[in-house]
Amino acid sequence: MRSFSWLLFTIFSLLLSCLLLVRTSETDGAETQDGASILGHLEPLGSRNIKHSLEVIQNFPDPKTFFETYVVPGRPVLIQNAAKLSTAFHKWSDEYFLSRPEANEVKIQVEQRKKEERTGPYAEIPFSEFVKSYKEKDVYMVSSVPEFMKSDVLLPSPLLCRDITETSDMLTDAVMWFSSGGTKSVLHFDDGLENINCLFAGTKELLFIDYHKYKHVVPIDFPEGRYSGVDVDRVDFVKYPGLINVEYYNVTLKAGDCLYIPHRWFHQVRSYNRNIAVNLWWKYTPNFVPEDCDGMEQNQTLDKFTFTTVEKLIDQPEETLMNHLEHFLGKSVQISFKTFVQKIRKDPYFGNNNVLTWTEDMKSTTKKLFKLMDTDEDKSFSWADLEELEKADDETIRALTNEYFRLGDLMERAQEKLQENDELNEEDYEDGAGDGDYDIHPVKRSGKRNSKEEL
């Protein structure tokens, strides 16, 4: 009897141990799944990641050196004290702003929250009204430098070349960022633009991520605006696992400093204290180094040059999309999904007639895009659909534009892989030829496409 009781006790103990083991495993799994075990989860962006220091120089080099050393290879650099050369560094007090009669007339654009979300419209108010109220309100001026203030800001000396200043649309915009501090930008990148940001008051902290190293893992879930939806104060590593092992460059920008931000480098910005900066955007041109710089007058202010406007930059994605959709229709009354896919594959912005491997993401995004285009849900895209889209609300256009740019990014990635494979094939061919294998020829990719292939 005693031995039987002991057997029951042993069996019960084993069952209890197994139950506890299962519960422990479930708890551990849940902890990993909800991110609690990931260092830096729900903490500010980059708080526990590896960080590197940025290169620091004391003066702007000559244009050729600046472009060859930093712009062409895409290397960010901090230029200390460069902004102190502009009279804005000494003159731009609130009292000075309000002393100018133009301040009552000029209207500027204001973000209505210091923590950037990019979901709401800008407010448009007189500059003088902003200056009188910005210290008490949760607002942030993000607007082209008013004309009457451009004579206070120097164009950075590396841009003083005729093939920059006299080339149409090369100088894109000069934007003023003005707040009482405490602003937090989204994680984003500037597509098609190079950037020099000069700080005249306050302090800024920036986190950089090398686009070329991490472009396939940093989550840009709002591709239309080229930004991520990650909360920069509480990074959710379960939702954004690509950010777990990213390495950052960090830099503190002090009043009087300028910073070069390369094309497409991811960055996130925080500002402190009364804060005024002006950034100069110019058009990204691969491998461009200015040549026509000799004899240019030095120390020229922004009012001497022509810039395109920030409004044009903001409207461009929607305009690009609508023009592209019109191009897809061509002379057809309507097109099917199958025809749409064929046109995408031939289009220079998307497939460019390359034989690309279609991923599940590409298939899914193409279907979502076409579904949004098909407003009457008749499984085709027509001129009537296009007319409806031109009248659609902002939310619909934002969703459509996001899928459009997401597909473009996915196909760009596929083309990069195709190019990498071609380069590897070429290397294999050259290595073989060097060993005397003259019968080996590089594989030529067929330009033919299976018209029956479905997404």
Side-chain angles (χ1 to χ4, degrees):
M1 187 70 180
R2 180 177 297 178
S3 59
F4 179 71
S5 299
W6 176 254
L7 178 62
L8 287 176
F9 176 77
T10 302
I11 293 173
F12 176 75
S13 298
L14 288 171
L15 287 172
L16 183 61
S17 298
C18 290
L19 180 61
L20 288 171
L21 182 61
V22 169
R23 289 292 301 275
T24 301
S25 299
E26 288 176 350
T27 303
D28 289 345
E31 186 174 84
T32 301
Q33 187 176 5
D34 68 16
S37 64
I38 306 173
L39 198 63
H41 177 62
L42 300 184
E43 295 182 18
L45 183 72
S47 59
R48 302 296 186 97
N49 297 67
I50 295 174
K51 297 184 185 69
H52 304 281
S53 297
L54 212 61
E55 182 179 354
V56 178
I57 57 178
Q58 296 302 315
N59 301 289
F60 277 120
D62 65 86
K64 183 178 181 181
T65 301
F66 181 77
F67 274 78
E68 288 180 342
T69 307
Y70 302 107
V71 180
V72 173
R75 290 173 54 195
V77 61
L78 176 68
I79 309 96
Q80 290 183 332
N81 301 314
K84 293 181 180 179
L85 300 175
S86 293
T87 58
F89 180 74
H90 306 283
K91 291 171 64 176
W92 278 9
S93 66
D94 293 351
E95 293 73 23
Y96 168 74
F97 292 147
L98 294 175
S99 72
R100 299 293 300 266
E102 300 94 334
N104 297 313
E105 303 164 4
V106 172
K107 289 192 174 181
I108 51 106
Q109 291 182 325
V110 175
E111 288 191 4
Q112 301 179 73
R113 190 167 184 231
K114 288 183 182 178
K115 185 174 180 179
E116 186 182 24
E117 291 183 338
R118 299 196 181 186
T119 55
Y122 287 94
E124 194 169 88
I125 62 174
F127 180 58
S128 59
E129 181 181 327
F130 173 81
V131 175
K132 292 174 183 177
S133 63
Y134 77 98
K135 291 180 180 178
E136 286 77 38
K137 293 185 178 181
D138 189 20
V139 291
Y140 189 15
M141 173 183 171
V142 182
S143 193
S144 295
V145 178
E147 287 297 326
F148 76 92
M149 297 166 63
K150 286 185 176 179
S151 59
D152 296 332
V153 182
L154 293 176
L155 185 75
S157 58
L159 304 182
L160 286 172
C161 299
R162 295 175 191 86
D163 37 2
I164 295 176
T165 61
E166 298 178 13
T167 301
S168 177
D169 292 338
M170 193 68 170
L171 291 176
T172 306
D173 208 352
V175 177
M176 184 171 174
W177 309 77
F178 184 7
S179 75
S180 60
T183 65
K184 303 169 187 177
S185 80
V186 292
L187 177 63
H188 65 287
F189 68 92
D190 301 326
D191 196 15
L193 298 170
E194 302 282 7
N195 184 354
I196 292 178
N197 189 303
C198 293
L199 186 64
F200 298 112
T203 304
K204 288 187 184 293
E205 290 183 353
L206 288 92
L207 285 175
F208 285 106
I209 303 173
D210 186 339
Y211 173 82
H212 303 286
K213 185 176 181 179
Y214 293 108
K215 60 184 174 182
H216 297 323
V217 298
V218 173
I220 299 298
D221 39 1
F222 293 91
E224 174 246 345
R226 300 317 202 194
Y227 70 96
S228 173
V230 63
D231 185 341
V232 297
D233 289 326
R234 287 171 56 85
V235 177
D236 186 339
F237 282 141
V238 175
K239 186 176 181 181
Y240 298 103
L243 292 173
I244 294 174
N245 295 314
V246 164
E247 296 183 10
Y248 293 85
Y249 288 84
N250 69 318
V251 62
T252 298
L253 197 62
K254 297 179 180 179
D257 294 341
C258 292
L259 177 69
Y260 166 59
I261 303 174
H263 166 251
R264 281 194 168 185
W265 270 56
F266 304 103
H267 52 286
Q268 192 269 324
V269 190
R270 296 173 186 264
S271 69
Y272 304 92
N273 305 315
R274 179 178 181 272
N275 209 277
I276 305 178
V278 171
N279 81 271
L280 283 301
W281 273 320
W282 73 96
K283 184 179 179 181
Y284 165 71
T285 306
N287 301 313
F288 170 76
V289 176
E291 297 179 352
D292 192 4
C293 310
D294 292 341
M296 281 286 290
E297 180 185 346
Q298 298 300 300
N299 300 323
Q300 294 195 61
T301 50
L302 301 186
D303 57 310
K304 304 294 194 302
F305 306 100
T306 301
F307 295 83
T308 53
T309 64
V310 73
E311 286 83 2
K312 182 177 179 181
L313 287 175
I314 292 171
D315 292 341
Q316 192 176 13
E318 182 178 338
E319 291 176 4
T320 300
L321 170 64
M322 293 305 175
N323 290 338
H324 217 161
L325 295 185
E326 185 175 334
H327 169 72
F328 284 139
L329 279 169
K331 297 180 180 179
S332 305
V333 176
Q334 63 183 30
I335 58 174
S336 65
F337 176 70
K338 180 178 178 180
T339 303
F340 176 62
V341 172
Q342 292 171 347
K343 285 178 176 287
I344 281 178
R345 292 188 166 209
K346 295 177 182 178
D347 189 85
Y349 176 72
F350 290 107
N352 201 24
N353 258 336
N354 287 319
V355 182
L356 304 178
T357 300
W358 282 74
T359 65
E360 290 302 318
D361 282 343
M362 290 163 66
K363 296 175 185 178
S364 171
T365 302
T366 307
K367 289 177 181 177
K368 287 179 183 177
L369 177 59
F370 192 81
K371 188 174 181 179
L372 289 165
M373 292 161 52
D374 179 16
T375 61
D376 56 11
E377 300 181 358
D378 66 348
K379 298 185 178 180
S380 67
F381 177 61
S382 65
W383 287 99
D385 290 319
L386 184 60
E387 289 176 6
E388 287 300 313
L389 289 175
E390 288 173 345
K391 297 182 291 185
D393 58 31
D394 290 343
E395 185 177 350
T396 300
I397 293 299
R398 188 178 297 115
L400 183 70
T401 312
N402 272 327
E403 297 304 328
Y404 168 82
F405 280 98
R406 181 174 287 116
L407 180 60
D409 289 344
L410 290 169
M411 297 192 78
E412 180 183 348
R413 186 182 305 178
Q415 292 194 57
E416 287 173 355
K417 289 184 178 179
L418 181 65
Q419 184 178 356
E420 289 171 2
N421 290 337
D422 286 343
E423 290 173 354
L424 288 174
N425 289 338
E426 185 68 22
E427 288 175 5
D428 291 342
Y429 168 66
E430 290 174 355
D431 290 344
D435 294 333
D437 297 325
Y438 297 109
D439 293 334
I440 300 177
H441 299 282
V443 177
K444 293 183 178 180
R445 297 179 179 273
S446 171
K448 295 182 179 179
R449 197 172 280 102
N450 185 355
S451 60
K452 295 183 179 180
E453 183 177 354
E454 293 292 337
L455 294 183

